[in-house]
Amino acid sequence: MWLKPEEVLLKNALKLWVQERSNQYFVLQRRRGYGEEGGGGLAGLLVGTLDAVLDSTSKVAPFRILHQTPDSQVYWSIACGSSREEITEHWEWLEHNVMKTLSVFDSNEDITSFVQGKIRGLIAEEGKDSFVKEDDPEKFREGLMKFEKCFGLPEQEKLITYYSCSYWKGRVPCQGWLYLSTNFLSFYSFLLGAEIKLIISWDEISKLEKTSNVILTESIHVCSHGEDHYFSMFLHISETFLLMEQLANYAVRRLFDKETFENDPVLHDPLQITKRGLESHAHSEQFSAFFRLPKEESLKEVHECFLWVPFSHFNTHGKMCISENYICFASQDGSLCSVIIPLREVTGVDKADPANRGVIISTKGKTAFRFIEVRDFGLLVAKLRMKCNAAASPQHIVATGSATDSPKDFGAGQSKMGQRDNSKTVSTEALMTVYHPQDAENLDSKMLKEKMKEQSWNILFAERGRGVSMFRTKKTRDLVVRGIPEALRGELWLLFSGAVNDMASNPGYYPELVEKSLGTCTLATDEIERDLRRSLPEHPAFQSDTGISALRRVLTAYAFRNPQIGYCQAMNILTSVLLLYAKEEEAFWLLVAVCERMLPDYFNRRIIGALVDQAVFEELVRVHLPQLTDHMTNMTFFSSVSLSWFLTLFISVLPIESAVNVVDCFFYDGIKAILQLGLAVLDYNMEKLLTCKDDAEAVTVLNRFFDSVTNKDSPLPPAVQQGSNLSDTKSDHPKVDITDLIRESNERYGDICYEDVESLRCRNRLYVIQTLETTTKQNVLRVVSQEVKFSPSDLEELYELFKKEHFLSCYWSVNSSVLQHHDASLPYLDQYRIDCQQFRVLCHLLSPWSHCANRDSLALWTFRLMDENSNCLINFKQFACVLDTMYNGSFTDKLKLLFKVHIPPAFTEVESQSPSKGNDLSREELIHFSQLSVSSVGDNLESDSLKSSPEKGKGKVDIQAYLKQWQDELLKKEENVKDLPRMNQSQFIQFSKTLYNLFHGDPEEELLYRAIAVVTSLLLKMEEVGRKLQSPMSSVRSPAAVTEMAAEVPRERQEESSFEQTEDSRAQSLEANHEWSFAFEQILASLLNEPAFVRFFEKPHDIKAKIESAKNLQLKARTRV
């Protein structure tokens, strides 16, 4: 690698470097101790230690080139290399391209200046694409070189950054370097001869956290495969941990959770990830989640400033955050003030009070927001004006035209505009207004309280504004905690959730979606129909066709919009409540906000998001209610009892009139509100829970508590209220008002902040997904163990190697076919599958026949044999079964396997396009040959395979097809050797060649070669006799020549070339008659007569040694490929 020229004083370096080559202007040196027998003694060990600790690759590379000029003591380092080949290549380039030119210069200064310019030009040319995004390109190049030298990972592996730190091995810290790359966490240390090299792939990490104890003040704890690793003494530990967390979560989402990852195109290409890109992506995610903005919004600028709060008459300090379509502000002084200003609402941006660097932003709602102490305020005003002009395009004006009309009706404009002919199908009224209209004349005490609540909100609107750009303060939260009035609930849910922005940006989207989705028939629509009448069945709105039809349209439209989620149980309960208070289109956008932003991954097939929040809840219980965790022997109780709380936002456990107050808080505070309420519920029932003897008793206590929760201020009629219908037998349980419970949860647990929750989510996401992966592994091993003879430990190791190979193909490929086929919703066996290329790698590493000269062809044919569905993928069961036959099968089983791979559909003629490679096949050739059967299959067979593969077709998972497939496997009878087709001449010749290749290098090689000739002759004679008996008058060419050649095998060791000639001659003689063929029984009977054959195939092989070797070589094998 060429280096930026730096001065080196040679006399100080003589003890560390050994000169190998030199000329008038350049010196090539080798690091002392490198390449010497015994490591160069004590000096070599000390040098190696310095190399591991120092932060300059020019000092630690084993070879370097210095530029020198005569009569000068100053030298310049210009190149370094990790190998002798690399540095020699640089040396020869200098001799051929630079040395001749230097002779024309008159002075030494000119020579040095020319060499430096030449080297800088080479560096610029080398790194113009690769390192331009890094903060310090030169330093990063050196770090990258050391990373590549130490770990030998494939070239595509992208280094993100590296840090100096200590790795704790027991109680001893080892100083070295931590490298963070796209797919691996790597550490290297070399201290006084002790080398430590650690490579952990991100997808293997189950725990990643910051910890501290007596010895380590602050360290990063990494747990992988049950092993704990601790790293400490970072200069910026928070920055390092955040980056590690991002990379681990990125890998987990990309490899395990394809559904979520595909919706996130920013990090889709692993080769384009940089430290800066990861940081900006994390900030954008945090920004859009905090302000409830569409996911597409990315944070562009952040400005510290003050915002004038007119109703409080003071300036609040905070940050102005600007994205493509929004200007947001959040205070940082404890006033809990925040503002969201969509650019579609902005009418003007002006400078104000230059002395205070002020900016005034005017909106359509006739509100002006004044920001002061804004750095570069003039430039900011110019940028915002340009953004606002872009936002004022016709489409944006149309989209926001209704926003400034009556705030109560701020969604109606979009609905009417997009409805066209769908007005008959999409209802435009909230169901509550239809079924429970308020009687303005006859007001009881509850209705009076409701009117007082409305008045409080109207006063708030008058002070702080109404609509999307209103000031949100502590007063706003206090009113939400008291419960939002029925008449305002739909409007404020839409506002606080951010759904108002989605709706404004997509006018007419929902009616069109309804029109497209109506009449579709999928698994999701079947499930929706089944659950429609289970959604709030006690409410009159869902006892009529009006409510049921609206619920059907919203759920079907969402399933059509997001087929990856489709429909999940609990969505019907949540949507029913949304429809009570919001118009149909508004309810749809509220559902979008909940499923895609506020509760991410909750409603996918594995409900990963809900499981993550359950784990977060468990951690919070440990921290805030330690006496309860001490009493509970099993923490899974909290997970099992709280799942419905998270999935339905307490709607399924609380009476409807109380549950809506919880939903109010959820839309304002997000998941934090649900976590706080869960803690408050457990705290309230603490004494009773501590007396419970088992989980069932504890569940009964909580159920009775939920039945006793009431909402004394609810204006809903008694017929609808669930809490008022309690029987007298439960009246001994004290009533708990939901408002008091929510207020108490805020007072006791309000210190749980948004950032803490997100950090806990990130940490527990790794644990949850690894737990799910462990469950998958256990289920797969349980099924496969019944089919094979491998020990449980060996089978588990094989599964890890198989899964690792699956992931290795995904690490460096954006469009990996395997990653595209990975679907966590499939049966356990089909979640991880490999293609022919990956199978070849595993065969080379694990197969006892991997020494075979035509091992690529053998791997290809074996793969085609296992690929029963012709989809060019095989699962672990198929892989383990074929490997089990090779290791544990009887003589007949192994021979049958070899026989089957040499006849169709497995066998295909294979010829490499590169004769120089011999029998080796390129990746493209391998994939091509593995797909031949697919392309040659007829239409009928193709349609059959579509039917037999439940995940193919219209994107619908057919459970019935899976059940039938399972039943067919159970009923599959033992294969009879008589059912096997016969082997023709060309296939038999290839079969004989494979046997020859298998025997090469065996101690009984000569004996086995003779046996091949004897068996071949015998089979040919048997076939000739059989044909003469069948048709004695037919003129069949006698294969005497063939039998003679087969019989005359040299007594000395058979050379490969002579055998090939024999086989070619035999092939030519057999081509004269195309009807020669052999049955498996004939071949088996003939080979059984040869003891050498039997001994060879019954010889035991050690799978454990192969597995250990494969674990060490798997990554290197991928590097070579």
Side-chain angles (χ1 to χ4, degrees):
M1 181 177 81
W2 299 110
L3 298 174
K4 181 181 176 182
E6 288 183 359
E7 283 190 20
V8 175
L9 285 174
L10 197 61
K11 64 179 181 180
N12 294 336
L14 285 175
K15 295 176 183 178
L16 302 179
W17 294 92
V18 179
Q19 185 168 306
E20 292 217 329
R21 298 168 75 171
S22 67
N23 57 37
Q24 189 178 359
Y25 297 107
F26 300 104
V27 178
L28 191 157
Q29 296 179 329
R30 172 178 52 81
R31 194 73 162 162
R32 188 177 295 278
Y34 183 84
E36 296 179 20
E37 193 174 340
L42 180 61
L45 291 179
L46 289 170
V47 170
T49 302
L50 283 171
D51 291 349
V53 175
L54 292 175
D55 180 24
S56 175
T57 306
S58 59
K59 297 172 187 171
V60 301
F63 296 97
R64 72 176 182 181
I65 296 175
L66 304 178
H67 164 59
Q68 63 173 348
T69 53
D71 306 324
S72 173
Q73 291 296 315
V74 178
Y75 288 68
W76 298 84
S77 63
I78 59 170
C80 66
S82 57
S83 65
R84 192 178 297 275
E85 293 74 21
E86 182 186 358
I87 205 69
T88 303
E89 186 181 334
H90 283 24
W91 179 266
E92 290 173 352
W93 188 91
L94 289 170
E95 284 186 330
H96 292 127
N97 296 281
V98 178
M99 281 294 292
K100 295 176 183 176
T101 312
L102 296 182
S103 60
V104 303
F105 291 100
D106 297 328
S107 67
N108 291 339
E109 291 78 8
D110 291 343
I111 291 173
T112 301
S113 177
F114 174 78
V115 170
Q116 289 179 357
K118 194 75 175 172
I119 300 303
R120 287 194 178 97
L122 289 170
I123 292 172
E125 188 63 30
E126 262 183 14
K128 65 181 179 182
D129 298 321
S130 309
F131 312 107
V132 70
K133 296 178 182 177
E134 304 301 332
D135 296 328
D136 188 346
E138 187 62 32
K139 191 174 180 182
F140 190 81
R141 281 177 78 247
E142 296 181 359
L144 178 62
M145 180 190 166
K146 188 174 179 184
F147 171 69
E148 291 173 345
K149 169 197 162 190
C150 291
F151 303 104
L153 294 171
E155 289 181 5
Q156 305 98 310
E157 181 62 15
K158 182 169 175 54
L159 178 65
I160 306 299
T161 189
Y162 59 100
Y163 300 97
S164 172
C165 72
S166 290
Y167 171 63
W168 289 79
K169 201 169 185 182
R171 295 190 175 185
V172 181
C174 303
Q175 186 65 28
W177 292 89
L178 181 71
Y179 296 87
L180 307 181
S181 58
T182 313
N183 300 294
F184 299 97
L185 177 157
S186 312
F187 177 82
Y188 184 81
S189 171
F190 183 90
L191 293 172
L192 299 177
E195 183 182 55
I196 296 175
K197 190 182 293 186
L198 188 68
I199 301 176
I200 303 172
S201 57
W202 294 115
D203 55 82
E204 294 172 350
I205 293 176
S206 57
K207 186 180 283 187
L208 180 64
E209 60 184 355
K210 273 198 290 188
T211 59
S212 59
N213 55 38
V214 178
I215 301 174
L216 303 175
T217 52
E218 263 194 316
S219 65
I220 295 175
H221 173 210
V222 177
C223 182
S224 168
H225 289 305
E227 289 186 40
D228 294 310
H229 307 276
Y230 292 89
F231 302 91
S232 68
M233 296 178 68
F234 289 96
L235 196 59
H236 305 289
I237 191 165
S238 296
E239 176 197 310
T240 309
F241 178 73
L242 183 64
L243 198 59
M244 290 169 74
E245 200 173 53
Q246 289 167 359
L247 284 166
N249 274 287
Y250 161 76
V252 160
R253 284 164 63 186
R254 180 166 183 258
L255 300 174
F256 294 114
D257 194 12
K258 187 182 71 168
E259 294 174 13
T260 313
F261 186 81
E262 285 182 345
N263 295 327
D264 188 3
V266 179
L267 299 178
H268 190 60
D269 186 354
L271 304 179
Q272 299 303 317
I273 294 177
T274 61
K275 178 185 172 186
R276 192 183 303 169
L278 279 170
E279 288 171 350
S280 63
H281 182 69
H283 290 148
S284 293
E285 278 191 333
Q286 190 178 3
F287 161 73
S288 58
F290 183 82
F291 291 107
R292 311 275 164 75
L293 301 179
K295 275 189 169 182
E296 299 76 34
E297 293 298 313
S298 57
L299 184 61
K300 299 297 184 185
E301 296 179 53
V302 178
H303 298 272
E304 281 206 32
C305 61
F306 290 85
L307 171 64
W308 173 248
V309 184
F311 48 87
S312 299
H313 304 287
F314 76 97
N315 288 308
T316 180
H317 176 253
K319 289 186 177 179
M320 180 199 293
C321 305
I322 301 171
S323 67
E324 293 91 344
N325 300 298
Y326 296 88
I327 304 165
C328 304
F329 176 87
S331 65
Q332 293 182 298
D333 56 8
S335 62
L336 301 178
C337 176
S338 65
V339 171
I340 300 169
I341 311 170
L343 292 182
R344 63 177 184 268
E345 294 287 306
V346 175
T347 57
V349 182
D350 301 292
K351 295 179 187 177
D353 193 7
N356 289 324
R357 294 177 294 177
V359 178
I360 290 182
I361 299 174
S362 307
T363 63
K364 294 176 183 177
K366 298 181 180 177
T367 306
F369 298 90
R370 190 178 78 181
F371 300 89
I372 61 170
E373 300 301 327
V374 182
R375 195 175 66 175
D376 298 330
F377 73 108
L379 183 61
L380 178 63
V381 167
K383 285 182 182 177
L384 290 178
R385 281 177 178 168
M386 285 181 65
K387 279 180 176 284
C388 291
N389 289 336
S393 62
Q395 62 206 34
H396 286 83
I397 293 170
V398 171
T400 59
S402 61
T404 53
D405 298 337
S406 168
K408 215 169 189 177
D409 206 33
F410 65 98
Q414 291 91 337
S415 300
K416 290 172 187 172
M417 186 170 43
Q419 277 172 19
R420 301 189 190 103
D421 298 331
N422 296 315
S423 55
K424 293 178 182 177
T425 57
V426 178
S427 63
T428 56
E429 291 294 332
L431 294 177
M432 196 62 81
T433 60
V434 176
Y435 286 90
H436 307 297
Q438 294 183 5
D439 188 352
E441 296 179 3
N442 303 315
L443 296 177
D444 57 12
S445 60
K446 289 186 176 180
M447 283 306 299
L448 283 171
K449 282 188 177 180
E450 187 75 3
K451 289 297 178 185
M452 289 171 64
K453 275 189 188 178
E454 283 186 38
Q455 188 59 30
S456 299
W457 278 96
N458 288 329
I459 292 170
L460 184 87
F461 291 148
E463 283 184 353
R464 292 160 170 77
R466 187 169 187 171
V468 69
S469 298
M470 69 181 287
F471 281 89
R472 303 172 199 205
T473 61
K474 188 175 182 298
K475 179 70 179 294
T476 316
R477 171 177 281 141
D478 291 341
L479 288 179
V480 170
V481 168
R482 286 169 52 190
I484 297 174
E486 302 275 310
L488 297 175
R489 194 160 261 141
E491 174 188 342
L492 292 176
W493 283 359
L494 208 65
L495 191 67
F496 295 146
S497 67
V500 61
N501 295 314
D502 294 321
M503 193 165 145
S505 303
N506 298 279
Y509 176 83
Y510 175 68
E512 288 176 11
L513 205 60
V514 169
E515 190 175 357
K516 289 177 185 175
S517 62
L518 280 180
T520 56
C521 183
T522 62
L523 187 63
T525 57
D526 294 344
E527 291 176 351
I528 289 168
E529 287 299 324
R530 190 175 62 241
D531 288 346
L532 281 176
R533 300 192 183 276
R534 302 177 190 172
S535 313
L536 297 187
E538 68 285 340
H539 198 286
F542 298 101
Q543 294 167 359
S544 70
D545 188 56
T546 306
I548 294 291
S549 297
L551 182 60
R552 178 187 291 113
R553 286 193 295 271
V554 172
L555 291 174
T556 305
Y558 185 77
F560 189 84
R561 163 190 165 88
N562 192 345
Q564 290 174 331
I565 290 178
Y567 171 76
C568 177
Q569 280 189 332
M571 286 171 69
N572 59 319
I573 298 172
L574 177 60
T575 309
S576 302
V577 175
L578 298 178
L579 281 166
L580 289 177
Y581 294 98
K583 298 166 189 175
E584 189 178 318
E585 183 175 6
E586 294 171 352
F588 170 79
W589 287 113
L590 282 168
L591 184 64
V592 169
V594 171
C595 294
E596 296 176 15
R597 285 203 308 274
M598 300 187 72
L599 296 179
D601 307 343
Y602 260 62
F603 300 100
N604 58 19
R605 295 183 179 101
R606 295 198 291 177
I607 58 168
I608 288 174
L611 296 175
V612 168
D613 283 343
Q614 279 182 304
V616 170
F617 184 61
E618 280 183 26
E619 279 206 46
L620 293 173
V621 171
R622 285 193 197 95
V623 173
H624 294 279
L625 304 171
Q627 62 272 46
L628 194 57
T629 55
D630 292 341
H631 175 71
M632 292 290 178
T633 54
N634 190 353
M635 288 294 287
T636 55
F637 163 76
F638 300 109
S639 298
S640 58
V641 80
S642 64
L643 182 60
S644 62
W645 303 357
F646 293 109
L647 279 174
T648 66
L649 308 178
F650 283 93
I651 295 169
S652 63
V653 292
L654 285 174
I656 182 66
E657 66 276 10
S658 301
V660 290
N661 283 36
V662 178
V663 179
D664 294 342
C665 296
F666 167 74
F667 279 127
Y668 192 83
D669 272 333
I671 195 62
K672 172 177 174 285
I674 306 299
L675 294 167
Q676 288 176 182
L677 185 61
L679 291 171
V681 167
L682 295 178
D683 193 10
Y684 194 94
N685 293 277
M686 177 78 74
E687 291 182 11
K688 292 181 180 178
L689 289 171
L690 290 176
T691 61
C692 292
K693 296 175 183 175
D694 54 34
D695 290 357
E697 198 177 338
V699 170
T700 304
V701 167
L702 290 174
N703 286 340
R704 284 180 180 168
F705 168 76
F706 287 130
D707 288 339
S708 72
V709 175
T710 62
N711 186 350
K712 63 179 186 293
D713 297 332
S714 174
L716 291 180
V720 175
Q721 290 194 32
Q722 297 167 354
S724 63
N725 298 330
L726 295 173
S727 62
D728 293 335
T729 56
K730 295 183 182 177
S731 60
D732 58 332
H733 200 293
K735 296 287 188 287
V736 182
D737 187 67
I738 187 65
T739 307
D740 296 336
L741 190 63
I742 291 174
R743 186 182 292 114
E744 190 175 334
S745 75
N746 267 282
E747 289 170 358
R748 291 200 175 194
Y749 309 108
D751 57 339
I752 299 171
C753 63
Y754 164 80
E755 289 78 12
D756 292 340
V757 172
E758 288 304 310
S759 177
L760 287 170
R761 274 179 161 180
C762 276
R763 185 196 311 168
N764 284 284
R765 186 181 186 83
L766 297 175
Y767 167 75
V768 165
I769 289 188
Q770 292 297 350
T771 303
L772 290 172
E773 288 301 305
T774 302
T775 305
T776 299
K777 177 171 76 173
Q778 290 169 349
N779 282 288
V780 169
L781 294 180
R782 188 175 65 249
V783 172
V784 177
S785 62
Q786 299 170 12
E787 307 281 336
V788 298
K789 297 174 185 174
F790 290 125
S791 69
S793 59
D794 289 343
L795 193 61
E796 186 174 354
E797 296 276 19
L798 286 173
Y799 178 84
E800 292 295 343
L801 286 166
F802 182 88
K803 180 177 164 185
K804 189 70 182 174
E805 191 59 38
H806 168 97
F807 281 153
L808 285 171
S809 71
C810 308
Y811 281 170
W812 304 288
S813 173
V814 183
N815 299 313
S816 165
S817 60
V818 179
L819 191 59
Q820 289 167 0
H821 286 91
H822 174 50
D823 187 349
S825 67
L826 292 176
Y828 291 120
L829 274 173
D830 290 332
Q831 286 187 21
Y832 293 111
R833 292 175 289 179
I834 58 173
D835 61 19
C836 192
Q837 161 64 17
Q838 297 163 291
F839 178 73
R840 170 172 68 171
V841 173
L842 287 177
C843 262
H844 290 182
L845 293 172
L846 294 167
S847 170
W849 303 338
S850 57
H851 62 279
C852 185
N854 64 332
R855 59 182 187 171
D856 280 2
S857 303
L858 198 58
L860 167 68
W861 298 328
T862 309
F863 179 86
R864 286 165 59 92
L865 177 67
M866 291 183 289
D867 184 19
E868 295 171 356
N869 291 335
S870 298
N871 60 358
C872 300
L873 295 168
I874 62 167
N875 61 32
F876 178 69
K877 181 182 175 183
Q878 295 164 318
F879 170 75
C881 286
V882 77
L883 211 58
D884 184 62
T885 303
M886 294 177 183
Y887 278 95
N888 303 318
S890 63
F891 173 77
T892 306
D893 293 333
K894 292 176 182 177
L895 198 64
K896 192 200 307 184
L897 174 63
L898 281 171
F899 182 87
K900 285 165 74 175
V901 300
H902 287 86
I903 57 174
F907 181 77
T908 183
E909 293 290 344
V910 175
E911 187 176 344
S912 175
Q913 294 176 354
S914 306
S916 59
K917 290 186 177 181
N919 291 315
D920 292 343
L921 298 174
S922 68
R923 185 180 188 280
E924 291 72 21
E925 289 169 342
L926 199 71
I927 298 298
H928 166 71
F929 288 128
S930 70
Q931 292 172 345
L932 280 181
S933 59
V934 179
S935 58
S936 62
V937 168
D939 294 335
N940 294 335
L941 191 58
E942 193 170 330
S943 63
D944 288 344
S945 72
L946 275 171
K947 289 175 188 173
S948 67
S949 181
E951 74 273 12
K952 292 192 177 181
K954 299 178 180 178
K956 174 180 172 182
V957 180
D958 191 344
I959 302 299
Q960 296 296 326
Y962 275 128
L963 291 172
K964 185 177 183 306
Q965 200 172 339
W966 184 41
Q967 187 180 21
D968 291 345
E969 283 191 20
L970 290 174
L971 298 174
K972 195 182 288 181
K973 61 179 181 179
E974 188 70 28
E975 188 178 43
N976 193 327
V977 293
K978 293 182 179 179
D979 298 332
L980 291 172
R982 294 172 71 85
M983 181 182 279
N984 67 25
Q985 307 100 304
S986 62
Q987 294 158 8
F988 179 72
I989 291 168
Q990 187 57 60
F991 175 75
S992 303
K993 286 183 178 179
T994 300
L995 288 177
Y996 165 77
N997 289 325
L998 282 176
F999 301 150
H1000 184 65
D1002 191 86
E1004 294 188 312
E1005 184 177 6
E1006 186 180 342
L1007 203 58
L1008 288 163
Y1009 288 162
R1010 290 178 191 165
I1012 294 177
V1014 171
V1015 168
T1016 306
S1017 302
L1018 180 62
L1019 285 169
L1020 289 168
K1021 286 176 181 177
M1022 285 167 60
E1023 184 64 18
E1024 183 182 2
V1025 170
R1027 286 183 54 75
K1028 284 182 176 177
L1029 288 172
Q1030 285 178 10
S1031 51
M1033 298 305 293
S1034 63
S1035 56
V1036 179
R1037 180 177 175 180
S1038 170
V1042 178
T1043 56
E1044 281 174 20
M1045 276 185 286
E1048 292 173 3
V1049 180
R1051 296 189 180 276
E1052 300 82 18
R1053 179 182 170 192
Q1054 182 98 8
E1055 294 295 329
E1056 187 170 351
S1057 58
S1058 65
F1059 183 83
E1060 295 292 342
Q1061 290 169 6
T1062 305
E1063 291 295 342
D1064 292 342
S1065 305
R1066 184 178 301 157
Q1068 290 169 8
S1069 63
L1070 288 174
E1071 279 172 9
N1073 193 320
H1074 297 289
E1075 296 181 12
W1076 286 97
S1077 62
F1078 304 98
F1080 174 71
E1081 292 164 292
Q1082 292 175 294
I1083 295 176
L1084 176 63
S1086 304
L1087 292 177
L1088 279 171
N1089 288 325
E1090 298 294 331
F1093 271 121
V1094 178
R1095 284 196 301 274
F1096 177 84
F1097 282 108
E1098 290 189 345
K1099 184 169 34 176
H1101 295 279
D1102 185 9
I1103 184 70
K1104 291 184 186 296
K1106 279 282 189 180
I1107 288 173
E1108 285 305 313
S1109 172
K1111 284 158 70 174
N1112 296 324
L1113 297 173
Q1114 190 173 24
L1115 198 54
K1116 292 178 181 176
R1118 171 64 55 176
T1119 306
R1120 287 195 297 272
V1121 170

